[in-house]
Amino acid sequence: MRKKIVAGNWKMNNDLDQTMSLIEDLKNLESKGVCVMIAPAFPFLKISKDLLEDYQIEVISQNVHQKSKGAYTGEVSIDMLKSIGISTTLIGHSERRAYFNEDDIVLFEKVRCTLDAGMNIIFCFGEDLKDRKSNKHFDIVKNQLENTVLKLKKESWENIILAYEPVWAIGTGETASPEQAQEMHQYVRNCISKCYDESVSESISILYGGSVKPSNANEIFSKKDVDGGLIGGAALLASDFNEIIKVNS
Ligand code: PGA
């Protein structure tokens, strides 16, 4: 079912003390009607989950490896996440694509294995500046989706959340205009509708990510096809994160 979602992607920030203290601050969130998620770094997922046991904040992971186990030094498997109660993961964040060479082939493997294992995913996609400037953004996004999630069967979409994150807006302070976000979200919904049907496209939550902050959240989230946000920098400050959530409630 289409939901309002605000997810905080903490990336490679916060040590143990900082993680615990930010979680303490998040306990006072006003999140009526909004699903709130946070993605701390791997070493702190378990403690974050324990600390939030009695709160309506889902702890999710930033990444997962597609193989079930074995000699993959430094990686974390789906079963490892499940064994500590994590049931949702980001897949395909642009930083994974850019710095860790995760291409559509690897990402499709990750998507398939994670969904097969009964987990939920937030699948990220988005064009870079060059593609936007040369007006190729719709084709690029369509391609990213056709090579991955649009290959799945209809039933899988019950466990998918999408996040449109134009690379040029991530961590840059530059945000897509509300119109640019709406236009792309609507385009993506149409692609889903064409591939499956309207019942799927209308039930999917599509988040926007890229320099969302309290000052611009309202305008972006008021757009009809924007169902919330994936928040990086502003999720590291409880007061900012709370403001962004309040806009959605
Ligand atoms: P940002 O990051 O809000 O700092 O731009 C968003 C993201 O990478 O998910």
Side-chain angles (χ1 to χ4, degrees):
M1 217 214 9
R2 195 154 154 191
K3 293 185 244 167
K4 283 270 174 202
I5 299 166
V6 176
N9 174 12
W10 292 7
K11 308 192 181 186
M12 200 173 72
N13 293 296
N14 293 338
D15 62 15
L16 178 60
D17 286 348
Q18 290 162 333
T19 296
M20 288 168 68
S21 123
L22 182 49
I23 284 180
E24 213 41 56
D25 293 342
L26 292 180
K27 288 182 175 174
N28 305 316
L29 286 181
E30 298 158 56
S31 62
K32 216 162 136 261
V34 183
C35 295
V36 178
M37 303 177 178
I38 55 164
F42 279 136
F44 312 126
L45 287 177
K46 175 78 170 82
I47 189 148
S48 302
K49 244 199 108 51
D50 291 347
L51 291 170
L52 289 168
E53 208 187 341
D54 299 325
Y55 294 81
Q56 298 288 324
I57 299 178
E58 184 180 349
V59 178
I60 69 172
S61 72
Q62 299 175 17
N63 183 33
V64 71
H65 196 263
Q66 63 275 25
K67 297 276 194 242
S68 58
K69 64 175 176 177
Y72 301 99
T73 302
E75 293 295 336
V76 171
S77 75
I78 294 164
D79 281 350
M80 289 173 187
L81 293 177
K82 284 175 74 177
S83 73
I84 56 164
I86 301 295
S87 53
T88 305
T89 182
L90 299 181
I91 292 183
H93 191 279
S94 65
E95 287 147 19
R96 299 295 317 171
R97 294 174 190 258
Y99 307 140
F100 302 95
N101 301 323
E102 292 191 359
D103 60 14
D104 288 349
I105 295 170
V106 167
L107 293 177
F108 180 59
E109 259 323 270
K110 290 194 178 207
V111 163
R112 207 178 48 75
C113 296
T114 310
L115 291 171
D116 280 354
M119 282 183 71
N120 307 308
I121 62 168
I122 301 183
F123 185 77
C124 309
F125 59 93
E127 81 284 358
D128 62 23
L129 188 59
K130 176 175 59 59
D131 300 326
R132 166 69 59 173
K133 281 195 163 150
S134 54
N135 221 19
K136 291 206 189 104
H137 43 294
F138 291 118
D139 289 345
I140 294 289
V141 160
K142 185 162 179 244
N143 215 35
Q144 288 174 341
L145 297 177
E146 280 180 349
N147 287 338
T148 54
V149 286
L150 291 179
K151 284 163 89 171
L152 298 165
K153 51 187 189 320
K154 185 173 164 181
E155 294 73 56
S156 302
W157 283 80
E158 281 170 25
N159 303 96
I160 300 176
I161 298 161
L162 295 179
Y164 169 53
E165 299 207 304
V167 178
W168 48 273
I170 297 178
T172 57
E174 191 167 335
T175 321
S177 70
E179 292 68 33
Q180 286 171 321
Q182 166 57 28
E183 187 182 44
M184 184 57 87
H185 284 220
Q186 189 172 28
Y187 175 77
V188 168
R189 233 181 266 288
N190 281 340
C191 291
I192 299 169
S193 180
K194 273 192 204 140
C195 193
Y196 305 94
D197 57 45
E198 223 176 281
S199 70
V200 181
S201 67
E202 285 304 314
S203 64
I204 285 301
S205 298
I206 310 179
L207 317 184
Y208 168 79
S211 299
V212 176
K213 25 188 191 281
S215 58
N216 59 23
N218 198 7
E219 260 200 298
I220 298 174
F221 295 148
S222 66
K223 292 294 177 193
K224 125 174 174 328
D225 286 299
V226 179
D227 303 307
L230 181 55
I231 320 297
L236 296 172
L237 208 62
S239 55
D240 281 0
F241 195 51
N242 197 17
E243 283 305 306
I244 293 169
I245 290 163
K246 278 204 285 190
V247 165
N248 281 276
S249 24

